[in-house]
Amino acid sequence: VGSSGFGYVTFLPNGNCSLSCRYPTTLKIPVIQKNGTIQGSSSLCNKGQGFYKLPEWPTTDFNWYIVGNEEGNLAEVILTDQRNEVIIKPLTTGILRLKCDYQNTLLHCGGSAEFLITVNESIDVEGPDAACVGSTATYTTTGGGLVKWILKNSTGTIVDVLESSTTYTYSFHTIGNYSLSVESELNCVGQPKSIVVEAAPSAPQITGATEICPNSPYVYQVVAPDVNSFYYWSVTNGTILTSPTGSQI
């Protein structure tokens, strides 16, 4: 029995068997091992996720945990709907020791398994999550090293690639949802950054006096202001007497 945790017994009928069909018959038998084999990735990104499993032994209870994680500061252990499977979400860098103790409730035998996981610091993309169409946005990484930048649209089609750069600048000319990711041979890469590109708001109409006297106050306001818009006022050869923000000045 290997790492799969199952053995196979095959019956091979010979010429002396009074059978109409003399084909081999195989039975798959679960074998509860004293030292099981955990399958999964040996390296993860910090705050990423990894999927791990033991053989799917029937009538077996599995107890998954991270050694030394009594305060829950090393990793989050997420149980699935299958007792022989678990999801690990690291919360710090370093070496994690994943362990599982298991016991078969029918045969009253069991064992344990261990698996070492190396957790590296991930490179995350930093920059604006939203942009107006026609605007330009600049992005950097938390590590600041040379990476490959890949920009995709909502259909997953690559719209731009930049090789080996510490920063990425792009002018968005089409409305839609984008994802910006990086690739690096030396570092652990985090999740892609989601970017929403929307149409630029229309220029507001302003009401107020167009012929004025010096050193006198006048009121100006936006016609039908949009409650979802933010207005910032500026003036040339004059002084703002109220707050420079809002629909009226």
Side-chain angles (χ1 to χ4, degrees), residues 63-130:
N63 179 30
W64 295 91
Y65 58 96
I66 298 292
V67 177
N69 194 37
E70 287 77 10
E71 298 181 359
N73 59 328
L74 300 180
E76 183 179 353
V77 180
I78 305 173
L79 303 179
T80 70
D81 57 350
Q82 303 295 321
R83 290 179 293 179
N84 65 307
E85 301 173 349
V86 72
I87 296 174
I88 300 299
K89 182 179 180 181
L91 302 177
T92 184
T93 58
I95 304 296
L96 295 180
R97 180 183 294 178
L98 174 63
K99 190 171 182 180
C100 182
D101 300 325
Y102 48 88
Q103 182 76 18
N104 185 275
T105 59
L106 179 63
L107 304 176
H108 304 291
C109 60
S112 64
E114 288 190 7
F115 193 84
L116 296 181
I117 306 172
T118 301
V119 182
N120 299 308
E121 191 63 53
S122 62
I123 299 178
D124 295 318
V125 178
E126 295 183 330
D129 299 326

Short mmCIF file of all heavy atoms in Angstrom, two decimals, residues 63-130:
data_model
loop_
_atom_site.label_atom_id
_atom_site.label_comp_id
_atom_site.label_asym_id
_atom_site.label_seq_id
_atom_site.Cartn_x
_atom_site.Cartn_y
_atom_site.Cartn_z
N ASN A 63 -8.56 14.84 12.54
CA ASN A 63 -8.36 16.03 13.36
C ASN A 63 -7.17 16.82 12.80
O ASN A 63 -6.02 16.47 13.01
CB ASN A 63 -8.11 15.64 14.82
CG ASN A 63 -7.88 16.86 15.70
OD1 ASN A 63 -8.40 17.94 15.45
ND2 ASN A 63 -7.07 16.69 16.74
N TRP A 64 -7.48 17.91 12.06
CA TRP A 64 -6.45 18.72 11.41
C TRP A 64 -6.05 19.89 12.32
O TRP A 64 -6.89 20.52 12.94
CB TRP A 64 -6.97 19.28 10.09
CG TRP A 64 -7.28 18.27 9.03
CD1 TRP A 64 -8.47 17.65 8.82
CD2 TRP A 64 -6.38 17.76 8.05
NE1 TRP A 64 -8.38 16.79 7.75
CE2 TRP A 64 -7.11 16.84 7.25
CE3 TRP A 64 -5.04 18.00 7.75
CZ2 TRP A 64 -6.53 16.16 6.18
CZ3 TRP A 64 -4.47 17.33 6.69
CH2 TRP A 64 -5.19 16.41 5.91
N TYR A 65 -4.75 20.21 12.34
CA TYR A 65 -4.30 21.38 13.10
C TYR A 65 -2.88 21.75 12.68
O TYR A 65 -2.16 20.96 12.05
CB TYR A 65 -4.35 21.11 14.61
CG TYR A 65 -3.54 19.93 15.08
CD1 TYR A 65 -2.24 20.10 15.58
CD2 TYR A 65 -4.06 18.63 15.05
CE1 TYR A 65 -1.50 19.02 16.03
CE2 TYR A 65 -3.32 17.56 15.50
CZ TYR A 65 -2.04 17.75 15.98
OH TYR A 65 -1.30 16.67 16.41
N ILE A 66 -2.50 22.99 13.02
CA ILE A 66 -1.15 23.50 12.81
C ILE A 66 -0.43 23.46 14.15
O ILE A 66 -0.92 23.99 15.14
CB ILE A 66 -1.16 24.93 12.25
CG1 ILE A 66 -1.83 24.97 10.87
CG2 ILE A 66 0.25 25.49 12.16
CD1 ILE A 66 -1.06 24.27 9.78
N VAL A 67 0.72 22.83 14.18
CA VAL A 67 1.48 22.71 15.42
C VAL A 67 1.92 24.10 15.89
O VAL A 67 2.49 24.88 15.11
CB VAL A 67 2.71 21.79 15.22
CG1 VAL A 67 3.55 21.73 16.50
CG2 VAL A 67 2.26 20.40 14.80
N GLY A 68 1.65 24.42 17.15
CA GLY A 68 2.02 25.72 17.72
C GLY A 68 1.05 26.83 17.41
O GLY A 68 1.36 28.01 17.65
N ASN A 69 -0.13 26.49 16.90
CA ASN A 69 -1.10 27.51 16.49
C ASN A 69 -2.21 27.67 17.53
O ASN A 69 -3.36 27.92 17.19
CB ASN A 69 -1.70 27.11 15.12
CG ASN A 69 -2.45 28.24 14.47
OD1 ASN A 69 -2.06 29.41 14.55
ND2 ASN A 69 -3.55 27.91 13.80
N GLU A 70 -1.84 27.53 18.80
CA GLU A 70 -2.86 27.60 19.85
C GLU A 70 -3.56 28.95 19.89
O GLU A 70 -4.76 29.03 20.20
CB GLU A 70 -2.23 27.31 21.22
CG GLU A 70 -1.85 25.85 21.44
CD GLU A 70 -0.57 25.46 20.72
OE1 GLU A 70 0.12 26.39 20.21
OE2 GLU A 70 -0.24 24.27 20.66
N GLU A 71 -2.87 30.03 19.58
CA GLU A 71 -3.47 31.36 19.61
C GLU A 71 -4.05 31.75 18.25
O GLU A 71 -4.59 32.85 18.11
CB GLU A 71 -2.43 32.39 20.05
CG GLU A 71 -1.91 32.16 21.47
CD GLU A 71 -0.91 33.22 21.88
OE1 GLU A 71 -0.61 34.11 21.05
OE2 GLU A 71 -0.42 33.16 23.02
N GLY A 72 -3.92 30.89 17.26
CA GLY A 72 -4.48 31.16 15.95
C GLY A 72 -3.77 32.24 15.16
O GLY A 72 -4.35 32.82 14.24
N ASN A 73 -2.50 32.53 15.50
CA ASN A 73 -1.77 33.60 14.82
C ASN A 73 -0.89 33.09 13.69
O ASN A 73 -0.31 33.90 12.95
CB ASN A 73 -0.90 34.35 15.84
CG ASN A 73 0.10 33.42 16.53
OD1 ASN A 73 -0.18 32.24 16.73
ND2 ASN A 73 1.25 33.94 16.88
N LEU A 74 -0.76 31.78 13.55
CA LEU A 74 0.09 31.23 12.48
C LEU A 74 -0.69 30.99 11.19
O LEU A 74 -0.19 31.30 10.10
CB LEU A 74 0.74 29.92 12.94
CG LEU A 74 1.65 30.01 14.16
CD1 LEU A 74 2.23 28.63 14.49
CD2 LEU A 74 2.76 31.02 13.94
N ALA A 75 -1.87 30.41 11.31
CA ALA A 75 -2.66 30.09 10.12
C ALA A 75 -4.10 29.85 10.53
O ALA A 75 -4.41 29.59 11.69
CB ALA A 75 -2.09 28.87 9.41
N GLU A 76 -4.97 29.94 9.53
CA GLU A 76 -6.38 29.62 9.71
C GLU A 76 -6.65 28.25 9.10
O GLU A 76 -6.33 28.03 7.93
CB GLU A 76 -7.25 30.68 9.06
CG GLU A 76 -8.75 30.48 9.26
CD GLU A 76 -9.57 31.57 8.62
OE1 GLU A 76 -8.98 32.55 8.13
OE2 GLU A 76 -10.81 31.43 8.60
N VAL A 77 -7.22 27.34 9.88
CA VAL A 77 -7.53 25.99 9.43
C VAL A 77 -9.02 25.95 9.08
O VAL A 77 -9.87 26.10 9.95
CB VAL A 77 -7.19 24.94 10.50
CG1 VAL A 77 -7.53 23.55 10.00
CG2 VAL A 77 -5.72 25.03 10.87
N ILE A 78 -9.32 25.76 7.80
CA ILE A 78 -10.69 25.80 7.31
C ILE A 78 -11.11 24.38 6.92
O ILE A 78 -10.53 23.78 6.01
CB ILE A 78 -10.83 26.74 6.10
CG1 ILE A 78 -10.31 28.14 6.47
CG2 ILE A 78 -12.28 26.81 5.64
CD1 ILE A 78 -10.26 29.09 5.30
N LEU A 79 -12.10 23.84 7.62
CA LEU A 79 -12.59 22.50 7.33
C LEU A 79 -13.55 22.55 6.14
O LEU A 79 -14.30 23.51 5.97
CB LEU A 79 -13.28 21.90 8.55
CG LEU A 79 -12.43 21.80 9.83
CD1 LEU A 79 -13.25 21.21 10.95
CD2 LEU A 79 -11.18 20.96 9.58
N THR A 80 -13.54 21.49 5.34
CA THR A 80 -14.45 21.39 4.20
C THR A 80 -15.56 20.39 4.53
O THR A 80 -15.65 19.88 5.66
CB THR A 80 -13.69 20.93 2.94
OG1 THR A 80 -13.29 19.56 3.10
CG2 THR A 80 -12.45 21.79 2.73
N ASP A 81 -16.40 20.09 3.54
CA ASP A 81 -17.46 19.12 3.76
C ASP A 81 -16.95 17.68 3.71
O ASP A 81 -17.71 16.74 3.94
CB ASP A 81 -18.58 19.31 2.74
CG ASP A 81 -18.08 19.20 1.31
OD1 ASP A 81 -16.85 19.18 1.11
OD2 ASP A 81 -18.91 19.13 0.39
N GLN A 82 -15.64 17.51 3.41
CA GLN A 82 -15.01 16.20 3.43
C GLN A 82 -14.02 16.15 4.59
O GLN A 82 -13.12 17.00 4.67
CB GLN A 82 -14.29 15.91 2.10
CG GLN A 82 -15.20 15.98 0.88
CD GLN A 82 -16.27 14.91 0.90
OE1 GLN A 82 -16.04 13.78 1.31
NE2 GLN A 82 -17.48 15.28 0.46
N ARG A 83 -14.17 15.17 5.47
CA ARG A 83 -13.35 15.14 6.68
C ARG A 83 -11.86 14.92 6.39
O ARG A 83 -11.01 15.30 7.19
CB ARG A 83 -13.86 14.03 7.62
CG ARG A 83 -15.21 14.35 8.25
CD ARG A 83 -15.69 13.23 9.14
NE ARG A 83 -15.99 12.02 8.40
CZ ARG A 83 -16.42 10.89 8.94
NH1 ARG A 83 -16.60 10.83 10.26
NH2 ARG A 83 -16.69 9.83 8.20
N ASN A 84 -11.55 14.30 5.24
CA ASN A 84 -10.15 14.03 4.92
C ASN A 84 -9.49 15.19 4.19
O ASN A 84 -8.33 15.09 3.78
CB ASN A 84 -10.04 12.78 4.04
CG ASN A 84 -10.71 12.97 2.68
OD1 ASN A 84 -11.87 13.35 2.60
ND2 ASN A 84 -9.96 12.70 1.63
N GLU A 85 -10.19 16.33 4.06
CA GLU A 85 -9.66 17.48 3.34
C GLU A 85 -9.68 18.72 4.23
O GLU A 85 -10.52 18.84 5.12
CB GLU A 85 -10.47 17.75 2.07
CG GLU A 85 -10.48 16.57 1.10
CD GLU A 85 -11.43 16.79 -0.07
OE1 GLU A 85 -12.24 17.76 -0.02
OE2 GLU A 85 -11.37 16.00 -1.03
N VAL A 86 -8.76 19.64 3.95
CA VAL A 86 -8.68 20.86 4.74
C VAL A 86 -8.07 21.96 3.88
O VAL A 86 -7.33 21.68 2.93
CB VAL A 86 -7.84 20.63 6.02
CG1 VAL A 86 -6.36 20.50 5.68
CG2 VAL A 86 -8.05 21.75 7.03
N ILE A 87 -8.40 23.22 4.21
CA ILE A 87 -7.84 24.39 3.56
C ILE A 87 -7.03 25.17 4.59
O ILE A 87 -7.53 25.45 5.68
CB ILE A 87 -8.93 25.28 2.95
CG1 ILE A 87 -9.67 24.52 1.85
CG2 ILE A 87 -8.34 26.58 2.39
CD1 ILE A 87 -10.85 25.27 1.28
N ILE A 88 -5.79 25.52 4.24
CA ILE A 88 -4.91 26.25 5.14
C ILE A 88 -4.69 27.66 4.58
O ILE A 88 -4.31 27.83 3.42
CB ILE A 88 -3.56 25.54 5.31
CG1 ILE A 88 -3.77 24.13 5.88
CG2 ILE A 88 -2.63 26.35 6.21
CD1 ILE A 88 -4.43 24.10 7.23
N LYS A 89 -4.93 28.66 5.43
CA LYS A 89 -4.70 30.06 5.06
C LYS A 89 -3.62 30.62 5.99
O LYS A 89 -3.89 30.95 7.14
CB LYS A 89 -5.98 30.87 5.19
CG LYS A 89 -5.82 32.33 4.79
CD LYS A 89 -7.13 33.08 4.91
CE LYS A 89 -6.96 34.54 4.51
NZ LYS A 89 -8.22 35.31 4.63
N PRO A 90 -2.38 30.75 5.53
CA PRO A 90 -1.30 31.25 6.38
C PRO A 90 -1.52 32.71 6.77
O PRO A 90 -2.06 33.50 5.99
CB PRO A 90 -0.04 31.10 5.50
CG PRO A 90 -0.44 30.16 4.40
CD PRO A 90 -1.90 30.37 4.18
N LEU A 91 -1.09 33.05 7.97
CA LEU A 91 -1.20 34.42 8.47
C LEU A 91 0.16 35.03 8.74
O LEU A 91 0.25 36.19 9.14
CB LEU A 91 -2.04 34.45 9.75
CG LEU A 91 -3.47 33.92 9.62
CD1 LEU A 91 -4.16 33.93 10.97
CD2 LEU A 91 -4.26 34.70 8.59
N THR A 92 1.24 34.26 8.49
CA THR A 92 2.59 34.76 8.70
C THR A 92 3.54 33.96 7.83
O THR A 92 3.19 32.89 7.32
CB THR A 92 3.00 34.65 10.18
OG1 THR A 92 4.29 35.23 10.37
CG2 THR A 92 3.04 33.19 10.62
N THR A 93 4.73 34.48 7.64
CA THR A 93 5.73 33.78 6.84
C THR A 93 6.51 32.80 7.72
O THR A 93 6.49 32.88 8.95
CB THR A 93 6.70 34.78 6.20
OG1 THR A 93 7.33 35.56 7.23
CG2 THR A 93 5.96 35.70 5.26
N GLY A 94 7.21 31.88 7.06
CA GLY A 94 8.00 30.88 7.79
C GLY A 94 7.57 29.46 7.44
O GLY A 94 7.01 29.21 6.37
N ILE A 95 7.85 28.53 8.33
CA ILE A 95 7.53 27.12 8.14
C ILE A 95 6.33 26.74 9.00
O ILE A 95 6.34 26.96 10.22
CB ILE A 95 8.73 26.21 8.50
CG1 ILE A 95 9.96 26.61 7.69
CG2 ILE A 95 8.38 24.75 8.24
CD1 ILE A 95 9.79 26.43 6.19
N LEU A 96 5.31 26.19 8.37
CA LEU A 96 4.14 25.68 9.09
C LEU A 96 4.20 24.16 9.09
O LEU A 96 4.52 23.54 8.08
CB LEU A 96 2.84 26.13 8.42
CG LEU A 96 2.52 27.64 8.42
CD1 LEU A 96 1.21 27.88 7.71
CD2 LEU A 96 2.48 28.18 9.84
N ARG A 97 3.86 23.57 10.25
CA ARG A 97 3.80 22.11 10.35
C ARG A 97 2.33 21.71 10.46
O ARG A 97 1.70 21.85 11.50
CB ARG A 97 4.57 21.61 11.57
CG ARG A 97 4.53 20.08 11.71
CD ARG A 97 5.24 19.60 12.96
NE ARG A 97 6.66 19.87 12.91
CZ ARG A 97 7.53 19.59 13.90
NH1 ARG A 97 7.07 19.04 15.02
NH2 ARG A 97 8.80 19.88 13.77
N LEU A 98 1.82 21.22 9.34
CA LEU A 98 0.44 20.74 9.30
C LEU A 98 0.40 19.30 9.77
O LEU A 98 1.17 18.46 9.29
CB LEU A 98 -0.12 20.85 7.88
CG LEU A 98 -1.50 20.25 7.63
CD1 LEU A 98 -2.57 20.95 8.45
CD2 LEU A 98 -1.84 20.30 6.15
N LYS A 99 -0.50 19.02 10.72
CA LYS A 99 -0.59 17.67 11.26
C LYS A 99 -2.05 17.23 11.31
O LYS A 99 -2.95 18.05 11.49
CB LYS A 99 0.02 17.60 12.66
CG LYS A 99 0.18 16.18 13.20
CD LYS A 99 0.98 16.15 14.50
CE LYS A 99 1.17 14.72 14.99
NZ LYS A 99 1.95 14.67 16.26
N CYS A 100 -2.26 15.93 11.15
CA CYS A 100 -3.59 15.36 11.23
C CYS A 100 -3.52 14.04 11.98
O CYS A 100 -2.73 13.15 11.63
CB CYS A 100 -4.18 15.14 9.84
SG CYS A 100 -5.87 14.48 9.87
N ASP A 101 -4.31 13.92 13.04
CA ASP A 101 -4.48 12.66 13.76
C ASP A 101 -5.80 12.05 13.34
O ASP A 101 -6.82 12.75 13.29
CB ASP A 101 -4.45 12.89 15.27
CG ASP A 101 -3.15 13.51 15.74
OD1 ASP A 101 -2.10 13.19 15.16
OD2 ASP A 101 -3.19 14.35 16.66
N TYR A 102 -5.82 10.79 13.00
CA TYR A 102 -7.03 10.15 12.51
C TYR A 102 -7.26 8.81 13.20
O TYR A 102 -6.32 8.15 13.66
CB TYR A 102 -6.97 9.97 10.99
CG TYR A 102 -5.68 9.37 10.49
CD1 TYR A 102 -5.51 7.99 10.40
CD2 TYR A 102 -4.64 10.19 10.08
CE1 TYR A 102 -4.33 7.45 9.93
CE2 TYR A 102 -3.45 9.66 9.62
CZ TYR A 102 -3.30 8.28 9.54
OH TYR A 102 -2.12 7.75 9.09
N GLN A 103 -8.53 8.43 13.29
CA GLN A 103 -8.93 7.20 13.95
C GLN A 103 -10.12 6.60 13.21
O GLN A 103 -11.12 7.28 12.96
CB GLN A 103 -9.30 7.46 15.41
CG GLN A 103 -9.68 6.22 16.21
CD GLN A 103 -8.46 5.38 16.59
OE1 GLN A 103 -7.34 5.87 16.57
NE2 GLN A 103 -8.68 4.13 16.96
N ASN A 104 -10.00 5.32 12.85
CA ASN A 104 -11.10 4.62 12.20
C ASN A 104 -12.05 4.10 13.26
O ASN A 104 -11.64 3.34 14.16
CB ASN A 104 -10.57 3.48 11.33
CG ASN A 104 -11.67 2.81 10.53
OD1 ASN A 104 -12.35 1.91 11.01
ND2 ASN A 104 -11.83 3.24 9.29
N THR A 105 -13.32 4.53 13.20
CA THR A 105 -14.29 4.17 14.22
C THR A 105 -14.78 2.73 14.10
O THR A 105 -15.37 2.20 15.04
CB THR A 105 -15.49 5.12 14.15
OG1 THR A 105 -16.08 5.04 12.85
CG2 THR A 105 -15.05 6.56 14.40
N LEU A 106 -14.54 2.08 12.97
CA LEU A 106 -15.00 0.71 12.77
C LEU A 106 -13.93 -0.30 13.19
O LEU A 106 -14.21 -1.27 13.91
CB LEU A 106 -15.38 0.48 11.31
CG LEU A 106 -15.85 -0.93 10.94
CD1 LEU A 106 -17.13 -1.29 11.70
CD2 LEU A 106 -16.07 -1.05 9.44
N LEU A 107 -12.70 -0.04 12.78
CA LEU A 107 -11.61 -0.97 13.07
C LEU A 107 -10.83 -0.58 14.32
O LEU A 107 -9.98 -1.35 14.79
CB LEU A 107 -10.65 -1.04 11.87
CG LEU A 107 -11.30 -1.43 10.54
CD1 LEU A 107 -10.26 -1.36 9.42
CD2 LEU A 107 -11.90 -2.83 10.62
N HIS A 108 -11.07 0.64 14.84
CA HIS A 108 -10.40 1.13 16.05
C HIS A 108 -8.88 1.16 15.90
O HIS A 108 -8.13 0.83 16.82
CB HIS A 108 -10.79 0.29 17.27
CG HIS A 108 -12.26 0.22 17.49
ND1 HIS A 108 -13.03 1.29 17.89
CD2 HIS A 108 -13.14 -0.83 17.32
CE1 HIS A 108 -14.30 0.93 17.97
NE2 HIS A 108 -14.40 -0.34 17.63
N CYS A 109 -8.44 1.57 14.71
CA CYS A 109 -7.02 1.79 14.49
C CYS A 109 -6.85 3.15 13.84
O CYS A 109 -7.79 3.71 13.28
CB CYS A 109 -6.41 0.70 13.61
SG CYS A 109 -7.14 0.59 11.96
N GLY A 110 -5.67 3.70 13.93
CA GLY A 110 -5.45 5.02 13.37
C GLY A 110 -3.98 5.35 13.28
O GLY A 110 -3.12 4.47 13.33
N GLY A 111 -3.70 6.63 13.15
CA GLY A 111 -2.33 7.08 13.01
C GLY A 111 -2.28 8.59 12.89
O GLY A 111 -3.22 9.29 13.30
N SER A 112 -1.22 9.10 12.33
CA SER A 112 -1.05 10.54 12.17
C SER A 112 -0.21 10.80 10.93
O SER A 112 0.47 9.91 10.41
CB SER A 112 -0.39 11.16 13.40
OG SER A 112 0.92 10.65 13.56
N ALA A 113 -0.26 12.05 10.47
CA ALA A 113 0.51 12.46 9.30
C ALA A 113 0.94 13.90 9.50
O ALA A 113 0.22 14.70 10.11
CB ALA A 113 -0.32 12.32 8.03
N GLU A 114 2.12 14.23 8.99
CA GLU A 114 2.66 15.59 9.08
C GLU A 114 3.08 16.07 7.70
O GLU A 114 3.45 15.28 6.82
CB GLU A 114 3.84 15.66 10.04
CG GLU A 114 3.47 15.51 11.51
CD GLU A 114 4.63 15.82 12.42
OE1 GLU A 114 5.68 16.28 11.90
OE2 GLU A 114 4.49 15.63 13.64
N PHE A 115 3.02 17.40 7.52
CA PHE A 115 3.40 17.99 6.24
C PHE A 115 3.95 19.38 6.51
O PHE A 115 3.31 20.19 7.21
CB PHE A 115 2.17 18.06 5.32
CG PHE A 115 2.50 18.38 3.89
CD1 PHE A 115 2.88 17.39 3.01
CD2 PHE A 115 2.41 19.67 3.42
CE1 PHE A 115 3.16 17.67 1.69
CE2 PHE A 115 2.69 19.97 2.11
CZ PHE A 115 3.08 18.97 1.23
N LEU A 116 5.13 19.70 5.98
CA LEU A 116 5.76 21.00 6.17
C LEU A 116 5.41 21.92 5.01
O LEU A 116 5.52 21.54 3.84
CB LEU A 116 7.28 20.86 6.28
CG LEU A 116 7.80 20.07 7.48
CD1 LEU A 116 9.32 20.03 7.47
CD2 LEU A 116 7.29 20.66 8.79
N ILE A 117 5.00 23.15 5.36
CA ILE A 117 4.60 24.14 4.36
C ILE A 117 5.47 25.39 4.54
O ILE A 117 5.54 25.95 5.64
CB ILE A 117 3.12 24.53 4.52
CG1 ILE A 117 2.23 23.28 4.49
CG2 ILE A 117 2.70 25.50 3.43
CD1 ILE A 117 0.78 23.56 4.84
N THR A 118 6.14 25.79 3.48
CA THR A 118 6.94 27.01 3.49
C THR A 118 6.08 28.18 3.03
O THR A 118 5.53 28.16 1.92
CB THR A 118 8.17 26.88 2.58
OG1 THR A 118 8.97 25.77 3.02
CG2 THR A 118 9.01 28.15 2.63
N VAL A 119 5.96 29.21 3.87
CA VAL A 119 5.13 30.37 3.57
C VAL A 119 6.04 31.56 3.27
O VAL A 119 6.85 31.95 4.11
CB VAL A 119 4.18 30.70 4.73
CG1 VAL A 119 3.29 31.88 4.37
CG2 VAL A 119 3.34 29.49 5.09
N ASN A 120 5.90 32.12 2.07
CA ASN A 120 6.70 33.27 1.65
C ASN A 120 5.84 34.53 1.61
O ASN A 120 4.62 34.45 1.43
CB ASN A 120 7.30 33.02 0.26
CG ASN A 120 8.22 31.82 0.24
OD1 ASN A 120 9.13 31.71 1.06
ND2 ASN A 120 7.99 30.90 -0.69
N GLU A 121 6.48 35.65 1.77
CA GLU A 121 5.79 36.93 1.69
C GLU A 121 5.36 37.17 0.24
O GLU A 121 6.13 36.98 -0.69
CB GLU A 121 6.68 38.08 2.16
CG GLU A 121 5.94 39.40 2.34
CD GLU A 121 4.87 39.31 3.42
OE1 GLU A 121 5.18 38.89 4.55
OE2 GLU A 121 3.70 39.65 3.10
N SER A 122 4.13 37.59 0.05
CA SER A 122 3.59 37.76 -1.30
C SER A 122 3.80 39.19 -1.79
O SER A 122 3.90 40.13 -1.00
CB SER A 122 2.10 37.43 -1.33
OG SER A 122 1.38 38.30 -0.48
N ILE A 123 3.89 39.30 -3.11
CA ILE A 123 3.98 40.61 -3.75
C ILE A 123 2.56 41.04 -4.13
O ILE A 123 1.91 40.38 -4.93
CB ILE A 123 4.86 40.56 -5.01
CG1 ILE A 123 6.29 40.13 -4.64
CG2 ILE A 123 4.89 41.90 -5.71
CD1 ILE A 123 7.19 40.01 -5.83
N ASP A 124 2.09 42.11 -3.55
CA ASP A 124 0.76 42.62 -3.85
C ASP A 124 0.85 43.90 -4.66
O ASP A 124 1.80 44.69 -4.52
CB ASP A 124 -0.02 42.88 -2.56
CG ASP A 124 -0.30 41.60 -1.79
OD1 ASP A 124 -0.64 40.60 -2.44
OD2 ASP A 124 -0.15 41.60 -0.55
N VAL A 125 -0.13 44.12 -5.52
CA VAL A 125 -0.18 45.31 -6.36
C VAL A 125 -0.84 46.44 -5.59
O VAL A 125 -1.91 46.28 -5.00
CB VAL A 125 -0.95 45.02 -7.67
CG1 VAL A 125 -1.04 46.27 -8.53
CG2 VAL A 125 -0.28 43.89 -8.44
N GLU A 126 -0.21 47.61 -5.60
CA GLU A 126 -0.74 48.79 -4.92
C GLU A 126 -1.06 49.87 -5.95
O GLU A 126 -0.28 50.10 -6.88
CB GLU A 126 0.26 49.32 -3.89
CG GLU A 126 0.51 48.36 -2.73
CD GLU A 126 1.45 48.95 -1.70
OE1 GLU A 126 2.30 49.77 -2.09
OE2 GLU A 126 1.33 48.60 -0.51
N GLY A 127 -2.21 50.51 -5.77
CA GLY A 127 -2.64 51.55 -6.69
C GLY A 127 -4.14 51.71 -6.64
O GLY A 127 -4.84 51.02 -5.89
N PRO A 128 -4.69 52.61 -7.44
CA PRO A 128 -6.14 52.88 -7.40
C PRO A 128 -6.97 51.70 -7.86
O PRO A 128 -6.60 50.99 -8.80
CB PRO A 128 -6.30 54.08 -8.33
CG PRO A 128 -5.10 54.05 -9.22
CD PRO A 128 -4.00 53.49 -8.41
N ASP A 129 -8.12 51.51 -7.19
CA ASP A 129 -9.06 50.45 -7.56
C ASP A 129 -10.04 50.89 -8.64
O ASP A 129 -10.73 50.05 -9.22
CB ASP A 129 -9.85 49.98 -6.33
CG ASP A 129 -8.95 49.42 -5.25
OD1 ASP A 129 -7.92 48.81 -5.61
OD2 ASP A 129 -9.26 49.60 -4.07
N ALA A 130 -10.13 52.19 -8.88
CA ALA A 130 -11.08 52.71 -9.86
C ALA A 130 -10.41 53.84 -10.64
O ALA A 130 -9.48 54.50 -10.15
CB ALA A 130 -12.35 53.21 -9.17
#
